[in-house]
Amino acid sequence: MSGDENIVELHRRYVMPTYSPDLVLVRGKGVRVWDQEGREYLDFLAGIGVLNVGHCHPRVVAAVGNQAAKLMHVSNLYYNENQPRLARELVERSLGGKCFFCNSGAEANEALIKLARLWGKDRGGRYRIVTMRNSFHGRTLATLTATGQEKVQKGFEPLPDGFTYADFNDLESVRSAIDDRTAAVLVESVQGEGGVVPATPEFMAGLRRVCDQEGVLLFCDEVQSGMGRTGKWFGYQHYDCIPDAIALAKALGGGFPMGAIVTSSALADVFQPGNHASTFGGTPLACAAGLAVIGVIEDEGLLDNARRMGTKFRAGLEEIASRHEFVTGIRGLGLMLAMVFDRPAKDVEIIMRRKGLLALATGKTALRFLPPLVVDEDDVARALEIIADSCREFAQIEKRVS
Ligand SMILES: *Cc1c(COP(=O)(O)O)cnc(C)c1O
């Protein structure tokens, strides 16, 4: 191995082409990352919704480093000191029941699906899960089937049985998708990959009502909208709706991979020994990272900062939108925001990247922003400058083309 190897060539030769990456990023600090040539970028994607406390937060770095030197892994056949402590922090901020730890968002949703089936078994054999069109729940076979997007499912048929789809923000559609075999409804409080679409207050309140009437569980996938992203700990907390369980991952470990589900007390003991497991779920190392993340969000007032910076950033985006006909609106919640175009947003994403801002085209026409919750007014102002510049440049290109 030598230091001057061409990373892009190496990647193309040895890594499966499931992504088409283009920058070689080598260092990060707070809201910023640097590429191999030393160019600086404002990371308004926070990795991919992962670095809510920013890149390499000193408290997360120290927690991981210290724990790594002490005890990285023990089997879940033994207790470890950090797992129940992190579980308490999550449970007390949400649903009051218990946690199960895993390693990713897909695995967290997979755990919810298994929990629903086990719960439904003794209730007349309920097993079906109703999910929303345009949702995203992961890439395992069960979670890609839960994901209401054909492009994610294509080629992997036959898909597992037991999933039905309804329209997001359409309560009647959900009601008619529920039958006497339905165990649960799974919904994102803010659809992320689907284009940053928040649930309406009527939809979330109505879902709780309908699920209670039908004797069906209600699950929220908070993998992207959780851990302070929307200005509250979890997205559902903006609504008059308390789900029976939530799925967490992305920002949970501050960059260290981990996932979890948290349930209400009624569902806390559905899983019994032997029902579910994970080799790496809730290791002392992962949970040390998770505890540090919660400490940082709490001590640095990041929920409040997410709300304040979210309002500021949104106002700036609205202002830019008003200057360009091709921007049709701004939507989102807290620091989970999207600029919506009347055409594909990919070219604008590329222009912004060239100017030093990382964002991501999502859905068909949305440009998604998920800045770290540690952004300050200067970061937001600088990002808005780049976005305004990029939209102006895009307008000129489009004019030339037409
Ligand atoms: C990213 C994401 C997932 C999948 O998480 P992985 O860690 O990639 O498995 C699931 N649900 C939502 C809402 C997500 O944003």
Side-chain angles (χ1 to χ4, degrees):
M1 284 194 281
S2 82
D4 51 11
E5 281 177 322
N6 185 318
I7 297 299
V8 174
E9 276 170 24
L10 268 187
H11 191 104
R12 290 197 177 138
R13 168 64 185 82
Y14 290 109
V15 181
M16 291 187 193
T18 55
Y19 288 82
S20 4
D22 68 346
L23 299 176
V24 181
L25 298 176
V26 297
R27 192 163 65 84
K29 189 167 172 39
V31 185
R32 287 171 173 73
V33 285
W34 288 267
D35 70 11
Q36 252 185 339
E37 271 86 54
R39 269 192 302 258
E40 182 180 302
Y41 300 85
L42 273 175
D43 184 3
F44 264 46
L45 268 183
I48 181 78
V50 166
L51 302 150
N52 286 11
V53 299
H55 286 270
C56 300
H57 192 288
R59 276 177 68 182
V60 177
V61 172
V64 169
N66 293 337
Q67 187 62 48
K70 188 177 168 199
L71 184 69
M72 285 195 212
H73 166 86
V74 287
S75 161
N76 282 311
L77 299 168
Y78 308 98
Y79 296 109
N80 80 64
E81 296 175 306
N82 294 339
Q83 192 179 125
R85 290 189 173 124
L86 178 58
R88 173 178 60 195
E89 300 303 320
L90 294 171
V91 163
E92 289 185 349
R93 282 171 176 77
S94 58
L95 300 175
K98 289 181 182 172
C99 276
F100 171 83
F101 289 101
C102 53
N103 312 286
S104 68
E107 276 180 85
N109 285 317
E110 192 86 25
L112 288 182
I113 294 163
K114 285 183 69 176
L115 186 84
R117 287 191 175 193
L118 205 58
W119 175 89
K121 216 171 149 55
D122 305 328
R123 289 173 176 77
R126 290 177 176 267
Y127 68 97
R128 286 194 192 120
I129 317 280
V130 175
T131 66
M132 306 303 135
R133 296 198 177 85
N134 266 325
S135 58
F136 186 81
H137 300 297
R139 299 286 196 153
T140 63
L141 268 177
T143 58
L144 75 82
T145 308
T147 294
Q149 299 190 51
E150 223 170 277
K151 66 168 196 240
V152 169
Q153 302 174 341
K154 221 172 66 185
F156 301 107
E157 303 84 356
L159 301 178
D161 187 20
F163 294 88
T164 28
Y165 308 101
D167 292 325
F168 188 59
N169 281 338
D170 180 343
L171 196 58
E172 276 321 302
S173 168
V174 176
R175 198 196 296 274
S176 57
I178 293 175
D179 62 21
D180 59 2
R181 287 308 176 108
T182 304
V185 173
L186 172 62
V187 67
E188 292 157 273
S189 52
V190 184
Q191 286 193 332
E193 311 298 311
V196 190
V197 188
T200 62
E202 305 75 49
F203 184 61
M204 289 298 277
L207 276 184
R208 184 66 276 179
R209 213 170 44 242
V210 167
C211 286
D212 286 343
Q213 283 162 2
E214 303 284 340
V216 163
L217 299 175
L218 177 58
F219 294 158
C220 280
D221 180 345
E222 296 279 356
V223 167
Q224 192 164 148
S225 50
M227 303 312 289
R229 172 54 54 201
T230 65
K232 292 189 187 270
W233 278 104
F234 307 105
Y236 78 82
Q237 292 168 338
H238 290 273
Y239 299 92
D240 180 17
C241 170
I242 299 174
D244 299 296
I246 55 176
L248 302 176
K250 289 203 163 86
L252 182 56
F256 198 91
M258 73 181 310
I261 64 170
V262 191
T263 70
S264 66
S265 44
L267 296 183
D269 297 313
V270 172
F271 280 145
Q272 288 294 311
N275 286 143
H276 199 39
S278 168
T279 296
F280 288 118
T283 62
L285 188 53
C287 292
L291 281 164
V293 166
I294 289 179
V296 169
I297 294 175
E298 204 70 83
D299 297 348
E300 295 186 12
L302 295 186
L303 299 184
D304 186 50
N305 195 58
R307 282 193 292 268
R308 284 187 305 114
M309 291 304 120
T311 303
K312 246 192 150 47
F313 188 36
R314 187 181 189 124
L317 290 173
E318 300 272 10
E319 206 270 313
I320 295 167
S322 72
R323 278 185 264 145
H324 297 286
E325 238 163 57
F326 54 76
V327 184
T328 59
I330 308 301
R331 65 183 176 221
L333 211 51
L335 279 175
M336 186 170 179
L337 290 168
M339 199 168 206
V340 188
F341 291 74
D342 67 358
R343 61 199 76 186
K346 195 73 193 172
D347 289 344
V348 191
E349 174 201 312
I350 294 165
I351 296 170
M352 285 182 192
R353 181 159 62 238
R354 213 174 353 90
K355 295 179 186 292
L357 180 76
L358 306 184
L360 183 64
T362 315
K364 285 193 183 70
T365 56
L367 190 62
R368 176 169 46 159
F369 301 100
L370 303 167
L373 313 183
V374 296
V375 280
D376 63 20
E377 302 207 4
D378 291 344
D379 300 326
V380 169
R382 179 70 195 122
L384 286 168
E385 247 172 58
I386 296 176
I387 296 163
D389 266 4
S390 304
C391 285
R392 261 195 303 275
E393 189 172 319
F394 184 65
Q396 272 156 15
I397 295 167
E398 296 288 290
K399 204 152 72 196
R400 240 178 284 140
V401 172
S402 64

